[in-house]
Amino acid sequence: MLKQNGFFPRVALGFVQLTDPNLVSFATNVVTLTTGNASYPTPTPTLAAVTTASSKLSDLAVTALNRDRIAIATRNAAREELLTLMRTLAAYVTCHCNEDVLTLITSGFDAVRAAGPIGVLSAPENPRLSYTGMSGDLLFRIKSNSNARNYSIETAEQAEGPWKSFGLSTTASVTINELTPGKTYWVRACANGTAGSSDWSVPTSMMAV
């Protein structure tokens, strides 16, 4: 599906997070806008079924205000019934909108918004070194960033450098190997993302054994 004006021609399912009254209002609006809509001649499920489920939830939501356990369970079941119908109707609309966002939103549903650029990432946090139990190895770790594609790792034998590239890591932990026991090493990292690379992390150090 191609992005159009920042949206994809696919129904957004954010309505599942709506409160009961707002869900009922949303479903009622979808029924109103889909009724007689030439783009959606044979809605599945039927709009009558959605209306019935919506009215049922509206009534049971009021009944459940007394906090009776059975009334709440009954209301919850009615909510799931309506959500199931709305998800099915959403799939129908997605399939029959001819991959056009404007046609999709005439149904009353919302279109999926395309993700915007994340921007430059912040420098990796919580850099630390620890022993691996193997002579000449140190385990370097940073706090993981889910938006990072990978991390550039550099090492040095002094805090001020010069820095030497150790390569790229796709995980937030990497073993720095082939180190000289008894010598202290400094390690730092930067996160690489779609908008470029972050600043370098604060260097951390430890003596190799």
Side-chain angles (χ1 to χ4, degrees):
M1 292 184 177
L2 297 177
K3 180 173 66 174
Q4 303 168 23
N5 298 318
F7 293 87
F8 289 106
R10 185 171 71 249
V11 171
L13 301 181
F15 60 82
V16 301
Q17 303 295 332
L18 295 174
T19 62
D20 293 336
N22 288 339
L23 176 59
V24 169
S25 296
F26 181 82
T28 300
N29 186 59
V30 168
V31 169
T32 298
L33 294 180
T34 306
T35 299
N37 191 321
S39 298
Y40 311 107
T42 56
T44 303
T46 65
L47 299 181
V50 174
T51 298
T52 298
S54 180
S55 297
K56 180 179 178 181
L57 174 60
S58 180
D59 293 340
L60 292 175
V62 174
T63 302
L65 292 176
N66 64 9
R67 310 307 299 170
D68 177 77
R69 194 175 285 181
I70 295 178
I72 291 175
T74 304
R75 178 207 59 192
N76 291 345
R79 177 183 175 85
E80 286 305 311
E81 178 184 355
L82 177 58
L83 286 176
T84 297
L85 294 174
M86 291 296 287
R87 289 189 185 97
T88 303
L89 184 58
Y92 169 84
V93 168
T94 295
C95 290
H96 290 77
C97 71
N98 293 319
E99 296 195 354
D100 181 71
V101 170
L102 293 179
T103 300
L104 184 152
I105 62 178
T106 65
S107 68
F109 281 109
D110 297 319
V112 171
R113 183 183 294 275
I118 294 172
V120 177
L121 304 175
S122 58
E125 300 177 354
N126 194 25
R128 56 207 186 275
L129 287 165
S130 60
Y131 295 118
T132 67
M134 298 292 293
S135 179
D137 287 358
L138 291 174
L139 179 63
F140 175 67
R141 289 179 290 179
I142 52 176
K143 182 178 179 181
S144 178
N145 187 327
S146 60
N147 294 319
R149 288 182 171 178
N150 51 47
Y151 305 94
S152 297
I153 312 297
E154 288 189 341
T155 63
E157 296 181 11
Q158 300 181 62
E160 63 273 16
W163 292 92
K164 178 182 177 182
S165 174
F166 188 76
L168 295 176
S169 174
T170 57
T171 64
S173 64
V174 59
T175 299
I176 311 296
N177 51 21
E178 298 184 1
L179 303 177
T180 302
K183 182 176 290 187
T184 296
Y185 291 88
W186 297 79
V187 186
R188 66 181 186 177
C190 73
N192 304 311
T194 56
S197 300
S198 71
D199 291 332
W200 290 98
S201 66
V202 176
T204 184
S205 64
M206 179 172 277
M207 179 185 292
V209 295

